């Protein structure tokens, strides 16, 4: 590896309107998925891929997120005094995970704008952008694979997943060419949230990107796109079209949980809980009975 270590950037400044009123005074990234806030899964994924420096771009209610990754001496003291080692370990886990930095996005002008805000922190490091609505199962290490591909090609890497035509309009969509590797494609074009009729393929961007700092120069002049927002997809399209740079896609076939809407969020909780040794014994038979009565 000839470049500086990877950093991670987690945009978390969205208003979370789909989860109101739960998100009235709390960022949606702090909603619990089983017993951890969604954003902790994302930070853990970065750490599992070897990333130690994580920048969270926040919006309103930033203190909730920063506090979660900070130590809480009174709580730790109480748990230690009670000898509650399991809960103490769970509390310490979040504060010992990584070097967490936070930065306010200011005016929310889109994902591209949020990423541009990271420039001064990221400087000349390559970096992963990780969207909190997409949780990737820890048993399917997508980000590690993407960092490897970044090293192999020396180029931007995005995560792609096949989605059904009725959902394609919710995503950035890639036009691709195959490579020698069945899991990796060369991206020849990108379009943000096309209609099913205009989509260049069924390969949607899921929220993992490994970017070169050159993206910042592109984002500086990327104008508003879909929805009037500065779109990361539009900046990546420019990089894909540049023969000196290029974009590769890792086609993910593992377990992904989309917590961006209510049904996806409920499914994610059930899917993750059913696999937990401490919960499945009671939950599985109950769920089977419950489903049988539907
Ligand atoms: C964003 C991106 C989109 C991508 C999606 C993945 O959209 O703009 O290209 O496919 O994340 O979750 P959002 O879901 O934030 O509207």
């Amino acid at each position: 590896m000839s470049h500086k270590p990877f950093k991670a950037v987690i945009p978390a400044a969205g208003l979370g309107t789909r989860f109101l009123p739960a998100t009235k005074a709390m960022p949606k990234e702090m909603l619990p998925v089983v017993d951890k806030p969604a954003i902790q899964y994302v930070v853990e994924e970065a750490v599992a891929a070897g990333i130690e420096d994580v920048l969270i771009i926040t919006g309103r209610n930033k203190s909730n997120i920063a506090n979660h990754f900070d130590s809480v001496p009174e709580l730790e003291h109480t748990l230690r005094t009670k000898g509650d080692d399991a809960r103490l370990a769970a509390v310490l886990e979040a504060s010992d995970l990584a070097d967490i930095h936070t930065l306010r996005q200011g005016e929310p002008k889109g994902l591209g704008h949020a990423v541009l805000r990271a420039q001064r922190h990221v400087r000349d490091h390559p970096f992963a952008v990780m969207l909190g609505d997409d949780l990737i199962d820890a048993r399917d290490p997508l980000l590690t694979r993407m960092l490897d591909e970044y090293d192999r090609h020396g180029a931007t890497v995005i995560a792609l997943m096949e989605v059904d035509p009725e959902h394609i309009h919710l995503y950035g969509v890639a036009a691709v060419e195959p490579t020698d590797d069945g899991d990796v494609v060369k991206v020849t074009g990108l379009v943000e949230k096309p209609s099913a009729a205009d989509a260049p393929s069924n390969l949607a961007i899921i929220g993992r990107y490994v970017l070169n700092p050159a993206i910042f120069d592109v984002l500086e002049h990327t104008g508003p796109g879909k929805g009037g927002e500065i779109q990361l997809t539009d900046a990546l399209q420019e990089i894909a079209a540049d023969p000196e740079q290029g974009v590769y896609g890792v086609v993910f076939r593992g377990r992904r949980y989309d917590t961006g809407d209510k049904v996806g969020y409920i499914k994610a909780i059930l899917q993750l809980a059913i696999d937990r040794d401490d919960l499945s014994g009671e939950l599985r038979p109950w769920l089977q009975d419950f489903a049988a009565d539907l």
Side-chain angles (χ1 to χ4, degrees):
M1 188 177 72
S2 56
H3 54 74
K4 296 197 170 175
F6 291 101
K7 296 188 177 187
V9 174
I10 305 178
L15 296 177
T17 44
R18 287 185 198 164
F19 288 91
L20 282 169
T23 48
K24 194 176 162 196
M26 181 173 74
K28 69 172 173 184
E29 291 77 9
M30 286 301 292
L31 292 176
V33 178
V34 188
D35 52 6
K36 277 191 283 197
I39 197 165
Q40 187 174 336
Y41 290 87
V42 183
V43 174
E44 285 174 355
E45 184 191 338
V47 171
I51 297 177
E52 288 168 1
D53 183 304
V54 178
L55 175 68
I56 303 174
I57 312 283
T58 63
R60 295 176 310 131
N61 309 314
K62 153 200 163 120
S63 53
N64 279 321
I65 294 180
N67 288 346
H68 180 70
F69 292 104
D70 198 1
S71 52
V72 194
E74 323 84 84
L75 178 61
E76 289 163 23
H77 176 75
T78 307
L79 293 170
R80 207 170 272 124
T81 313
K82 280 194 196 161
D84 193 340
D85 294 340
R87 291 201 176 91
L88 179 62
V91 165
L92 292 176
E93 204 188 345
S95 36
D96 292 345
L97 261 179
D99 293 335
I100 307 281
H101 308 265
T102 57
L103 180 73
R104 286 245 193 187
Q105 183 174 356
E107 212 185 326
K109 293 192 213 152
L111 179 58
H113 176 249
V115 172
L116 184 55
R117 292 282 291 134
Q119 180 169 24
R120 235 180 286 164
H121 181 85
V122 167
R123 297 200 315 265
D124 54 352
H125 289 249
F127 64 107
V129 171
M130 308 174 74
L131 306 188
D133 285 349
D134 293 294
L135 299 190
I136 304 295
D137 196 298
R139 294 163 291 186
D140 302 321
L142 169 63
L143 186 61
T144 303
R145 178 72 203 270
M146 293 174 72
L147 300 183
D148 288 348
E149 292 302 325
Y150 180 95
D151 284 337
R152 185 163 301 128
H153 298 285
T156 298
V157 179
I158 61 178
L160 298 172
M161 197 164 186
E162 291 185 6
V163 306
D164 293 334
E166 66 261 37
H167 296 133
I168 204 84
H169 67 283
L170 299 170
Y171 296 93
V173 183
V176 302
E177 286 170 358
T179 68
D180 296 342
D181 184 329
D183 292 333
V184 179
V185 290
K186 182 86 203 287
V187 174
T188 57
L190 286 164
V191 38
E192 179 68 6
K193 303 199 174 102
S195 66
D198 292 337
S201 76
N202 65 344
L203 289 172
I205 307 175
I206 52 171
R208 299 293 178 273
Y209 311 77
V210 181
L211 304 175
N212 183 289
I215 191 77
F216 296 126
D217 296 336
V218 179
L219 282 167
E220 294 272 11
H221 65 245
T222 302
K226 193 93 186 181
E229 297 190 339
I230 298 173
Q231 297 291 352
L232 182 58
T233 304
D234 293 345
L236 288 169
Q237 157 62 22
E238 190 173 325
I239 291 188
D242 178 351
E244 303 274 293
Q245 301 196 61
V247 175
Y248 288 83
V250 170
V251 181
F252 184 61
R253 299 188 176 88
R255 287 158 281 195
R256 163 189 173 252
Y257 313 106
D258 178 3
T259 62
D261 66 42
K262 280 178 233 180
V263 172
Y265 172 72
I266 293 164
K267 284 185 194 167
I269 293 174
L270 287 173
Q271 286 172 292
L272 287 165
I274 210 86
D275 282 341
R276 286 252 308 243
D277 292 342
D278 57 334
L279 303 174
S280 67
E282 194 176 337
L283 185 59
R284 192 177 286 273
W286 177 83
L287 204 52
Q288 276 158 345
D289 285 351
F290 181 73
D293 286 346
L294 286 179

